């Protein structure tokens, strides 16, 4: 028996107004009955709304978990833009009070502990609904589905899958980088080993940057390296069992010259403890501040090349290459509009209870891509048969 989703109340609580909060919040103000923006103080929340041109369209609030609990009602939707460790306790609170939950982060073990209870209560838990993870999943599902239709699920074949995403400065600087999220998060991600498939075998890069290589996208050379654990996504993207991977990697994209420019940072990462790395993050933030005149660029390139042992081959790829403007960064546009799209589908009751990622099926991926394109998130698809 399938649990019916708990009706959405129409009220959205958007928690956090950091670098990735952008026009998606405005889109929710057009569709939700009520939107509350929770930030460190009410004045900071009001200031953020003013910067987004949303004064009077959303209610500013000072965030504490107890303050949220006092205003949270059954059927409300909580959108967490907080650091990833905050998601699980916030989701637990949503389950207790009968509210739906959404975030753009990867699913953590701590979040999974609350998914079953949420599903039984008819509550939607939406995750991985941003840029990366998020739009990259949409691209991947759509590509695999197109290749399956062309090659066939049971046809023996080999394939190469790559998914690289990066936020970089629109105008290259000496540092070859622009911080689009917390510097401490950037550094700690580099300290985490990466697992992926190369030459058909599982490979682990203990220091991901040491696996950096050149990668050409639409005629432009970048530097890319693997991150996190790519291997589980073979199943998540529904790649047929009859297809053998030559390469399967999800990773990060940087401007050419990044590896050389960051040599001093890497030396610190090799030897520094948590205290030193936290201090280094503060030093880098001070040395390379993001100003109102800076423009960021987001590049997301996802490609799939399938070669049947005997018969057809198929190759396709999506490319998203956006530059921010005076109104919002490209990163904020991609993350917030994708997340807001998912929230609107919670509001209209079209997402099932329990765990949902941005993309669970090819059909939903194609639908979301059409909707994102209509909302100004531009990308291209190229297919070679």
């Amino acid at each position: 028996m399938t649990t019916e989703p708990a009706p959405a109340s129409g009220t959205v609580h958007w928690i956090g107004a950091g670098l990735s909060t952008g026009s998606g919040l405005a889109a929710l103000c057009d569709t939700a009955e009520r939107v509350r923006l929770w930030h460190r103080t009410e004045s900071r929340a009001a200031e953020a709304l003013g910067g987004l041109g949303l004064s009077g369209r959303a209610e500013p609030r000072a965030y504490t978990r107890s303050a949220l609990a006092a205003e949270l009602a059954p059927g409300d939707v909580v959108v967490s833009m907080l650091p990833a460790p905050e998601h699980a306790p916030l989701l637990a609170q949503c389950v207790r009070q009968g509210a739906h939950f959404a975030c753009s982060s990867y699913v953590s073990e701590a979040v999974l502990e609350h998914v079953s209870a949420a599903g039984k209560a008819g509550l939607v838990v939406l995750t991985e609904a941003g840029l990366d993870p998020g739009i990259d999943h949409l691209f991947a599902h759509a590509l695999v589905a197109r290749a399956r239709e062309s090659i066939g699920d049971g046809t023996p074949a080999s394939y190469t899958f790559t998914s690289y995403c990066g936020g970089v400065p629109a105008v290259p600087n000496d540092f070859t980088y622009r911080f689009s999220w917390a510097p401490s998060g950037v550094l700690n991600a580099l300290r985490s080993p990466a697992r992926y498939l190369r030459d058909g075998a599982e490979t682990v890069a203990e220091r991901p940057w040491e696996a950096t290589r050149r990668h050409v996208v639409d005629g432009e050379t970048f530097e890319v390296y693997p991150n996190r654990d790519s291997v589980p996504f073979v199943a998540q993207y529904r790649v047929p069992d009859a297809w053998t991977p030559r390469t399967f990697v999800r990773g990060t994209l940087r401007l050419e010259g990044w590896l050389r420019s960051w040599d001093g940072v890497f030396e610190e990462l090799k030897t520094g403890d948590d205290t030193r790395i936290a201090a280094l993050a503060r030093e880098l933030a001070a040395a390379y501040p993001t100003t109102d005149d800076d423009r960021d660029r987001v590049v997301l390139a996802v490609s799939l090349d399938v070669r049947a042992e005997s018969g057809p081959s198929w190759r396709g790829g999506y490319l998203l290459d956006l530059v921010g403007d005076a109104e919002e960064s490209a990163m904020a546009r991609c993350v917030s509009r994708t997340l807001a799209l998912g929230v609107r589908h919670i509001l209209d009751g079209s997402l099932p209870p329990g765990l949902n990622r941005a993309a669970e099926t090819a059909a939903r991926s194609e639908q979301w891509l059409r909707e994102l394109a209509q909302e100004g998130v531009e990308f291209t698809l190229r297919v070679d048969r």
Side-chain angles (χ1 to χ4, degrees):
M1 179 177 179
T2 302
T3 303
E4 291 296 320
S9 67
T11 296
V12 174
H13 303 267
W14 187 286
I15 304 175
L19 294 175
S20 293
T21 293
S23 55
L25 185 60
L28 284 179
C29 288
D30 290 336
T31 55
E33 294 178 14
R34 168 179 285 179
V35 175
R36 296 186 177 115
L37 177 64
W38 298 79
H39 206 27
R40 293 170 186 162
T41 65
E42 187 171 329
S43 61
R44 291 284 297 275
E47 181 181 343
L49 289 173
L52 292 167
L54 299 177
S55 297
R57 298 181 61 194
E59 305 167 16
R61 293 288 192 274
Y63 176 71
T64 64
R65 207 172 299 155
S66 59
L68 174 68
E71 296 200 40
L72 195 59
D76 287 0
V77 182
V78 170
V79 180
S80 178
M81 300 296 284
L82 299 175
E86 299 293 323
H87 295 330
L90 195 52
L91 173 56
Q93 181 176 326
C94 288
V95 173
R96 288 193 296 271
Q97 297 188 245
H100 305 284
F101 176 85
C103 71
S104 62
S105 301
Y106 285 98
V107 181
S108 66
E109 291 298 324
V111 165
L112 283 175
E113 291 178 3
H114 304 288
V115 165
S116 177
K120 290 177 181 177
L123 303 175
V124 175
V125 179
L126 175 64
T127 63
E128 300 181 21
L131 169 64
D132 172 9
I135 298 177
D136 59 339
H137 292 345
L138 303 178
F139 286 170
H141 274 281
L143 289 174
V144 171
R146 289 171 183 266
R148 288 173 63 179
E149 184 177 352
S150 177
I151 301 294
D153 285 8
T155 302
S158 62
Y159 70 92
T160 293
F161 173 88
T162 61
S163 178
Y164 293 113
C165 182
V168 300
V171 177
N173 54 28
D174 292 341
F175 194 46
T176 67
Y177 190 67
R178 176 187 187 275
F179 286 109
S180 55
W181 58 303
S184 59
V186 174
L187 297 183
N188 284 314
L190 284 166
R191 299 170 77 194
S192 301
R195 186 170 72 125
Y196 57 107
L197 302 178
R198 183 178 65 185
D199 298 328
E202 285 193 13
T203 303
V204 176
E206 294 295 336
R207 296 169 176 167
W209 70 86
E210 294 181 347
T212 298
R213 64 179 186 83
R214 289 160 58 90
H215 187 66
V216 178
V217 177
D218 201 26
E220 182 176 357
T221 299
F222 295 92
E223 295 178 352
V224 296
Y225 61 90
N227 64 19
R228 294 181 172 266
D229 187 356
S230 298
V231 176
F233 291 91
V234 173
Q236 184 174 317
Y237 293 160
R238 304 189 181 186
V239 179
D241 293 337
W243 298 1
T244 302
R246 298 189 301 273
T247 297
F248 189 100
V249 58
R250 301 175 72 255
T252 299
L253 175 147
R254 296 287 181 251
L255 291 177
E256 188 175 24
W258 170 81
L259 194 64
R260 182 180 63 253
S261 299
W262 276 51
D263 186 62
V265 175
F266 300 141
E267 289 302 314
E268 295 265 22
L269 293 177
K270 290 178 184 178
T271 60
D273 58 14
D274 290 347
T275 301
R276 174 57 196 142
I277 299 307
L280 177 61
R282 294 191 293 271
E283 293 167 12
L284 292 176
Y288 304 99
T290 298
T291 71
D292 291 340
D293 294 329
D294 290 332
R295 296 291 175 264
D296 73 327
R297 177 187 178 194
V298 165
V299 180
L300 169 60
V302 182
S303 64
L304 175 64
D305 184 347
V306 185
R307 301 176 186 178
E309 292 181 4
S310 60
S313 62
W314 187 94
R315 182 173 62 187
Y318 278 98
L319 173 62
L320 180 154
D321 190 346
L322 298 178
V323 173
D325 54 32
E327 294 184 357
E328 68 177 335
S329 69
M331 185 67 69
R333 185 187 316 168
C334 292
V335 173
S336 70
R337 292 191 187 184
T338 308
L339 185 54
L341 173 60
V343 172
R344 296 204 301 276
H345 284 299
I346 296 176
L347 293 172
D348 67 20
S350 61
L351 291 184
L355 181 64
N356 291 261
R357 294 175 174 88
E360 299 288 357
T361 65
R364 190 160 92 193
S365 296
E366 294 283 4
Q367 176 191 352
W368 282 35
L369 288 174
R370 287 193 298 271
E371 292 173 325
L372 285 172
Q374 292 169 358
E375 296 181 12
V377 179
E378 300 173 354
F379 50 84
T380 58
L381 168 65
R382 295 180 181 176
V383 175
D384 299 320
R385 296 180 186 275

